Amino acid sequence: EILYQKSVLYNNFILDFIIKGSEYNYIADTKYKEIYNNDNGYEKDDIKQLSGYGRVESIVKEFTNDIENYVPKCLIIYPSDDSNNKSIDFEKKEQISGLVKFYKLGIYLPRL
């Protein structure tokens, strides 16, 4: 199940995606930034944003009722230069070094 543009906390936050499944559970956000094409590239504000979403009770309850102990996985989806990544394949996600349960996944977007 994929929830798209879910609004929480009286519309104060609007998430890009909540991905729920037997194998994959993520709070996901799309970022159209070149920095994510670098091996350990990320922006601190993006990490803060997703971390904040992971502390919202109604979001955590999408995954579990154990809101005190559950740490959601966070995924940043970004445009990739690699034309071999044309579909969403969670097996190709990359751990963001130094961060717990933070990943990034590049998807090739055609350019005009």
Side-chain angles (χ1 to χ4, degrees), residues 17-54:
F17 304 100
I18 295 176
I19 302 169
K20 302 189 304 183
S22 59
E23 295 180 42
Y24 305 109
N25 287 304
Y26 297 100
I27 298 169
D29 200 54
T30 52
K31 299 295 181 189
Y32 298 90
K33 300 176 182 178
E34 290 293 324
I35 191 168
Y36 289 103
N37 279 300
N38 300 332
D39 283 340
N40 285 313
Y42 64 88
E43 285 194 14
K44 184 170 60 172
D45 287 341
D46 298 339
I47 301 303
K48 289 179 185 180
Q49 177 187 8
L50 280 171
S51 293
Y53 291 162

